């Protein structure tokens, strides 16, 4: 496995010429077409997006030891389970893997964001492939050895580093290729993260069934196979990246006048200054609150739907005792809701990010919070009235805005801080996701448990939680309204910009070939590239729609 610092040797070939992964080797030539960059980004994000589908492994991972002693194993705590080889793991012991790689995503993006800007998207994407795919392989080996600590180290820690590098590697590049449609560009890539589970989860389920032996689920072989698959897919995406030469612009496009939108800067802020500004922390809070609220609904959507509506979904009175078949039908409906919100989580990313190109990022986030508050407060009432259809629509809109928050924030950052170091700044901002990914589920579980212990009925325990989330959204709305242009003192000087461009191996002034670069046609290569990511994504959409059909 190649660590981030050690990978620098891959960028220098014999004689001192740039190596295969060097940023200089990725500068676009005249025949390149900028629409080849989004499928490269999608190849990476669709791969790491399997993070959202990891829940398919939790239950099978608790059934790996067929001759375990239930009485003896029941006494094992989490730390003991990390090293035990003769007891099955519990669901709580394994599902912290998700929290681990989400935490590592934010941490690694923050640590290596500045390095990524200098190294370029090809090197960062390739290392992300080795870390995410290699982490799954190591996790699969850990499962085969029944060593939970190794699963955490591989899938959780190393995989989380791959998540972080893979998530931010396309951002700066896409924004520079699409200065005319920043939201659309980042929406394409980050849509892939939301849709990765729609593709990966069905594949994982099918592979586990195929590799099941003597009643033991094939988790180990599945993780290894998927890890190798993701190494190939992400490497293909990494080597498909190109960066525009300094000064490149789309044909016929000119930057808007500085007076057109005061929030869009025409200069740049260095990473070392960006995170010290109030604007950074206001947007950090905006993202953290939006993610916390969205995770709250995402994590409890299925049980909430079943608890709130119960037999009403089958036209029965809520007081009627349900049979096993009726409970199974209700569970199938809840699974349909999960499939539907996965679809809205993904498609909302491209919809809202594209919309922000026309109405502005600040207005887009205002809609997220204003509409979100109304919807969160309406859910308890819709539940009490038994309006399942309206309830489902509200949840789907909420999850579309959850996804839209992720895809709109890179463009928001580029508006406020400029494009030169937006990838590194985005990396620092993703620590908000790490915090929300840990705090959000803990907050939801704690409030629910406290109410159950207080004797609150199951169909009512979610009301207070939803109102708390609505208050959080109000905090986010206030922070968003407070975002203003950065002060002149925070902006880079011309000398700072020249120094930064030299570290990125860019010319200090506009390249003489800038207006001739990347003017090639879409062609057969473009169709193949888009088909390679588009067909699997559409298959995932079809599977999600098929699951959602159980609701109707």
């Amino acid at each position: 496995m190649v660590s981030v610092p050690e990978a620098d040797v891959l960028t220098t070939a014999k004689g001192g010429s740039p190596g295969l992964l060097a940023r200089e080797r990725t500068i676009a030539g005249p025949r390149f077409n900028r629409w080849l960059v989004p499928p490269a980004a999608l190849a990476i994000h669709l791969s790491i997006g399997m993070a959202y589908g990891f829940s398919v492994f939790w239950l099978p991972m608790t059934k790996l030891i067929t001759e375990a002693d239930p009485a003896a194993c029941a006494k094992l705590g989490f730390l003991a389970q990390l090293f035990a080889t003769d007891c099955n793991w519990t669901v709580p012991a394994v599902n912290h893997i998700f929290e681990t790689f989400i935490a590592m995503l934010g941490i690694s993006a923050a640590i290596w964001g500045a390095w990524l800007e200098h190294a370029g998207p090809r090197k960062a994407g390739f290392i992300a492939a080795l870390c995410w795919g290699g982490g799954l392989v190591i996790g699969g080996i850990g499962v085969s050895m029944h060593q939970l600590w190794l699963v955490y180290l591989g899938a959780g820690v190393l995989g989380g580093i791959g998540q972080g590098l893979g998530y931010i590697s396309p951002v700066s590049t896409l924004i520079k290729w699409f200065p005319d449609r920043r939201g659309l560009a980042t929406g394409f890539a980050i849509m892939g993260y939301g849709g990765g589970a729609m593709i990966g989860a069905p594949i994982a389920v099918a592979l586990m069934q195929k590799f099941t032996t003597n009643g033991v689920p094939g988790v180990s072989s599945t993780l290894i196979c998927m890890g190798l698959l993701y190494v190939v897919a992400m490497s293909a995406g990494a080597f498909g990246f190109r960066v525009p030469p300094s000064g490149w612009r789309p044909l016929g496009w000119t930057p808007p006048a500085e007076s057109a939108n005061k929030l869009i800067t025409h200069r740049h802020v260095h990473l070392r200054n960006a995170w010290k500004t109030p604007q950074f922390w206001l947007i950090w809070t905006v993202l953290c609150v939006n993610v916390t609220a969205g995770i709250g609904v995402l994590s409890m959507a299925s049980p909430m739907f079943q608890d709130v509506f119960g037999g009403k979904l089958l036209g029965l009175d809520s007081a009627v005792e349900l049979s096993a078949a009726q409970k199974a039908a209700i569970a199938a409906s809840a699974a349909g809701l999960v499939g539907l919100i996965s679809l809205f989580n993904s498609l909302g990313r491209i919809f809202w990010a594209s919309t922000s190109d026309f109405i502005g990022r600040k207005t887009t986030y205002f809609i997220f919070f204003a509409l979100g508050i109304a919807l969160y407060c309406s859910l308890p009432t819709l539940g009490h009235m038994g309006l399942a259809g309206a309830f489902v629509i509200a949840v789907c809109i909420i999850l579309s805005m959850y996804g839209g928050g992720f895809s709109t924030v890179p463009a928001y950052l580029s508006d406020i801080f400029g494009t030169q170091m937006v990838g590194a700044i985005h990396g620092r901002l993703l620590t908000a996701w790490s915090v929300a990914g840990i705090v959000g589920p803990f907050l939801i579980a704690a409030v629910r448990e406290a109410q159950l212990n207080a004797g609150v009925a199951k169909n009512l325990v979610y009301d207070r939680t939803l109102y708390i989330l609505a208050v959080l959204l109000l905090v986010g709305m206030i922070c968003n309204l407070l975002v203003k242009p950065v002060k002149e003192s925070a902006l880079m000087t011309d000398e700072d910009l020249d120094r930064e461009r030299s570290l990125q191996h860019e010319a200090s002034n506009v390249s003489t070939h800038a207006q001739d670069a990347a003017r090639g046609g879409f062609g057969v290569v473009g169709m193949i590239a888009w088909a390679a990511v588009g067909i699997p994504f559409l298959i995932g959409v079809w599977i999600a729609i098929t699951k959602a059909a159980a609701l109707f």
Side-chain angles (χ1 to χ4, degrees), residues 181-372:
R181 297 294 302 276
R182 294 174 180 177
L184 174 70
T186 56
F188 263 125
I190 295 175
M191 175 184 70
Y193 195 89
M198 292 192 299
I199 302 170
I203 293 175
V205 170
L207 287 174
M208 281 191 287
Q209 291 174 348
K210 180 177 178 60
F211 291 126
T212 295
T213 305
N214 298 324
V216 178
V219 178
S220 173
S221 299
T222 298
L223 285 171
I224 292 172
C225 286
M226 295 192 74
L228 295 174
L229 172 65
Y230 288 146
V231 168
V232 174
M234 293 173 70
S235 296
F239 281 90
F241 280 131
R242 297 293 185 277
V243 296
S246 179
W248 182 88
R249 293 178 183 175
L251 279 176
W253 179 80
T254 55
E258 291 196 29
S259 59
N261 187 339
K262 294 294 185 182
L263 278 180
I264 301 179
T265 182
H266 292 260
R267 294 173 64 185
H268 309 276
V269 180
H270 199 282
L271 173 65
R272 65 173 176 265
N273 294 326
W275 74 276
K276 299 175 184 177
T277 64
Q279 287 84 353
F280 176 88
W281 291 107
L282 288 169
I283 299 175
W284 188 98
T285 305
V286 162
L287 180 65
C288 187
V289 165
N290 191 62
V291 173
T292 299
I295 283 179
V297 173
L298 189 64
S299 63
M300 66 184 181
S302 177
M304 178 170 61
F305 191 64
Q306 296 177 69
D307 290 342
V308 170
F309 293 100
K312 294 178 183 178
L313 296 171
L314 306 178
L316 303 173
D317 188 89
S318 57
V320 173
E321 187 72 23
L322 299 174
S323 66
Q326 289 169 333
K327 290 179 179 178
I330 293 171
S333 294
L337 175 62
V338 173
L340 197 60
I341 61 179
S342 297
L343 182 61
F344 273 79
N345 177 21
S346 179
L347 297 182
R349 297 172 184 239
I350 185 69
F351 171 77
W352 288 111
S354 301
T355 301
S356 75
D357 285 329
F358 299 99
I359 66 175
R361 326 302 170 195
K362 192 171 183 177
T363 303
T364 302
Y365 272 98
F366 177 81
I367 293 172
F368 289 165
F369 293 125
L371 182 57

Side-chain angles (χ1 to χ4, degrees), residues 300 303-304 306-308 443-465:
M300 66 184 181
M304 178 170 61
Q306 296 177 69
D307 290 342
V308 170
L443 173 66
I444 303 309
V447 173
R448 183 178 186 274
E449 190 65 25
Q451 291 185 90
L452 287 174
N453 292 338
V456 178
K458 270 192 173 183
N459 65 322
L460 301 177
V461 296
Y462 302 99
D463 293 9
R464 184 175 297 177
T465 303

Side-chain angles (χ1 to χ4, degrees), residues 451-512:
Q451 291 185 90
L452 287 174
N453 292 338
V456 178
K458 270 192 173 183
N459 65 322
L460 301 177
V461 296
Y462 302 99
D463 293 9
R464 184 175 297 177
T465 303
L466 290 166
Y467 293 137
I468 291 173
L469 295 179
V471 172
L472 286 178
L473 290 178
L474 179 60
V475 173
M477 176 187 284
I478 294 170
C479 289
N480 182 57
L481 292 174
L482 292 174
V483 175
K484 307 292 183 185
V486 295
K487 293 181 178 179
E488 182 79 17
S489 58
L491 298 172
M492 284 190 192
T493 64
D494 291 340
E495 292 77 14
D496 289 335
L497 184 58
D498 288 346
R499 188 181 307 111
E500 188 58 37
R501 284 177 171 169
S502 69
L503 291 172
Q504 296 186 15
H505 307 285
E506 291 183 5
S508 60
N509 47 29
V510 175
S511 169
T512 55

Side-chain angles (χ1 to χ4, degrees), residues 156-179:
V157 177
L158 187 59
I161 293 173
Q163 288 265 321
L165 292 177
Y167 194 91
I168 63 174
S169 62
V171 169
S172 178
T173 302
L174 282 165
I175 286 175
K176 289 174 182 176
W177 275 119
F178 292 86

